[in-house]
Amino acid sequence: MSYTLIGAPVSLYTGKVRGYLRWKNVPFREEMATREVYKRTILPRVGWSVIPVVIHEDGSEDGVTLQDTTEIIDHVEQAEPGPSVYPDTVRQHLAALILELFGDEWLVIPAMHYRWAYNRDFAHREFGAMQNPHLPAQEQWDAAEKAVAFFSGSIRGLGVNPDSVAAIEDAYEAFLAVFDAHLAEHDFLFGSRPSIGDFGFLGPLYAHLLRDPESGALMRRIAPRVADWAERCHAPQHALTGDFLPDDEIPSGVTALLRQFAAQQLPVLMDTASALEDWGKANPDEVEIPRILGFHKAKIGRGASVVETDRAIIPYPLWMLQRVTDYLCGLTGEDRAEAEELLRSIGAQQLIDFQLPFRLARPHFKLSRAG
Ligand SMILES: N[C@@H](CCC(=O)N[C@@H](CS)C(=O)NCC(=O)O)C(=O)O
């Protein structure tokens, strides 16, 4: 019984899983996602080019193939013993799910912006070394042109463009200030044990924003505790240790981070949900949902720095939002009241009665209507 993590040092979401597996103290080997590995393993097993992929050799003939960091983590949580990264109290659990979504799908905006604005050559070399480790440096570089064009070009879809860059940097620095202040009092988001929310933050904050040299220097200078947290979370010295805070406490720094989610990401998610509803009506027989449903105007930034800009309508984050609404739906009585109170206090009361237009699933690793 063993795990193989297929990914790369340069990959945002690989960093999330690597840190988690280490904390969980699960033995795994990491395989670099070279061109050959994409061809031989990823495409046949997953059907499209994406990392990370985890293969769990569980005794079955082909093992279990897992893609999507959230599904990987949930699988390991079920399969392996030891403390969970999901708090079992209502407010912390709900907050952790929301912050995983905020990390994975909103902090990816500064992560992609800083990489391609300030760390382009570094990232280009890293892509080259990942794809073709056997080639000389110049040939690695030349062969990586296509991937660099794809990933650097994708930032427009995230709403990164000359009009929004100042707002993105302002919001990122405000995020760092809040998280850094929180870390003066706590090791992780909810105490001395990392949660699924911490691992959601880890992808963008470690694999891009700390590891890429220019943005790493910025983080170490203006938010040294966040840099320290990212290193601790990515390379835990004490696996399986720590506890969530007693009495379901939500520290004030976490409340402030949740407010950033509600003010910045939630309106975009709500707009995306109504675009998905329109798509569903226009395509009643389609099961697989396109990765992009078109473009919309989205507000990016915070407070006075906000700009309205063009952004792709990306339905995938709604699948992560569904985890939040599913959790809410399962609550009753006092628990439900506490969850609603938390949502109201952060400005996310819209979520209280929110329902997606239809259920989402990921059969064959592709976002689809649940059938
Ligand atoms: N939500 C996915 C995101 C995975 C992802 O975007 N991975 C990047 C590399 S870090 C990738 O391979 N992207 C290819 C693509 O989006 O076409 C997860 O959690 O695994």
Side-chain angles (χ1 to χ4, degrees):
M1 310 288 169
S2 66
Y3 291 87
T4 302
L5 167 62
I6 302 174
V10 72
S11 147
L12 186 152
Y13 297 96
T14 302
K16 175 184 176 188
V17 171
R18 190 187 301 112
Y20 165 77
L21 290 174
R22 286 171 168 171
W23 185 80
K24 198 74 183 178
N25 209 23
V26 169
F28 68 99
R29 61 183 275 275
E30 187 161 338
E31 188 173 15
M32 185 79 112
T34 61
R35 256 192 211 294
E36 186 51 35
V37 168
Y38 269 97
K39 235 185 290 164
R40 177 168 36 87
T41 309
I42 299 176
L43 282 170
R45 283 180 179 258
V46 177
W48 59 291
S49 294
V50 63
I51 50 173
V53 172
V54 163
I55 298 169
H56 180 194
E57 306 291 352
D58 65 344
S60 60
E61 198 177 334
D62 293 329
V64 184
T65 303
L66 302 156
Q67 200 297 305
D68 196 280
T69 52
T70 300
E71 291 194 335
I72 293 167
I73 291 174
D74 284 1
H75 174 93
V76 176
E77 286 289 296
Q78 291 304 315
E80 304 299 331
S84 175
V85 295
Y86 288 95
D88 55 16
T89 52
V90 169
R91 286 144 43 91
Q92 290 179 351
H93 190 112
L94 179 63
L97 289 176
I98 291 175
L99 292 179
E100 186 198 14
L101 165 60
F102 186 57
D104 267 29
E105 298 295 326
W106 197 253
L107 295 180
V108 66
I109 299 172
M112 292 296 272
H113 159 59
Y114 281 89
R115 166 159 293 174
W116 297 110
Y118 302 112
N119 296 281
R120 194 181 177 92
D121 287 356
F122 171 79
H124 195 143
R125 277 194 301 277
E126 289 280 299
F127 272 96
M130 169 185 95
Q131 291 180 329
N132 294 294
H134 57 287
L135 292 181
Q138 185 59 47
E139 285 174 48
Q140 287 185 355
W141 176 279
D142 295 343
E145 297 280 4
K146 220 170 122 192
V148 167
F150 173 79
F151 283 103
S152 63
S154 73
I155 67 175
R156 293 263 163 175
L158 293 175
V160 182
N161 57 55
D163 295 339
S164 63
V165 158
I168 291 167
E169 294 190 357
D170 179 59
Y172 172 59
E173 291 192 14
F175 164 83
L176 284 181
V178 169
F179 193 28
D180 196 72
H182 168 82
L183 292 168
E185 289 172 35
H186 303 281
D187 295 335
F188 298 101
L189 284 166
F190 300 98
S192 54
R193 185 195 299 184
S195 69
I196 187 72
D198 290 272
F199 291 110
F201 281 13
L202 188 64
L205 291 175
Y206 174 76
H208 281 219
L209 290 158
L210 179 64
R211 190 175 175 277
D212 288 358
E214 293 295 321
S215 44
L218 174 75
M219 188 192 291
R220 284 183 211 285
R221 181 163 55 76
I222 68 174
R225 291 189 200 95
V226 177
D228 188 53
W229 162 92
E231 271 165 357
R232 259 185 298 118
C233 217
H234 179 252
Q237 303 296 300
H238 304 284
L240 299 174
T241 58
D243 287 307
F244 297 126
L245 292 164
D247 303 325
D248 202 14
E249 180 189 340
I250 300 287
S252 59
V254 169
T255 307
L257 294 169
L258 290 167
R259 289 207 174 105
Q260 294 188 354
F261 157 81
Q264 297 174 37
Q265 187 180 18
L266 187 55
V268 175
L269 292 171
M270 293 293 120
D271 252 28
T272 307
S274 59
L276 182 67
E277 184 168 13
D278 294 345
W279 176 86
K281 285 185 187 144
N283 300 279
D285 302 324
E286 297 282 322
V287 174
E288 198 179 305
I289 301 168
R291 292 185 71 186
I292 288 178
L293 299 175
F295 272 76
H296 61 169
K297 291 277 176 209
K299 291 202 167 95
I300 302 241
R302 53 124 204 180
S305 76
V306 166
V307 293
E308 194 166 61
T309 195
D310 291 322
R311 183 182 146 96
I313 306 172
I314 308 168
Y316 167 82
L318 297 176
W319 177 77
M320 293 187 77
L321 183 65
Q322 181 173 269
R323 289 158 50 78
V324 175
T325 53
D326 281 354
Y327 182 67
L328 265 179
C329 278
L331 297 174
T332 52
E334 186 83 346
D335 288 347
R336 172 87 196 181
E338 280 182 21
E340 290 186 6
E341 178 48 34
L342 176 65
L343 292 174
R344 266 188 229 100
S345 72
I346 60 165
Q349 53 280 358
Q350 276 156 296
L351 284 180
I352 291 174
D353 297 313
F354 173 76
Q355 275 194 327
L356 287 167
F358 43 83
R359 273 201 79 70
L360 300 173
R362 293 185 69 257
H364 317 297
F365 312 108
K366 290 191 176 141
L367 187 68
S368 305
R369 276 184 222 252

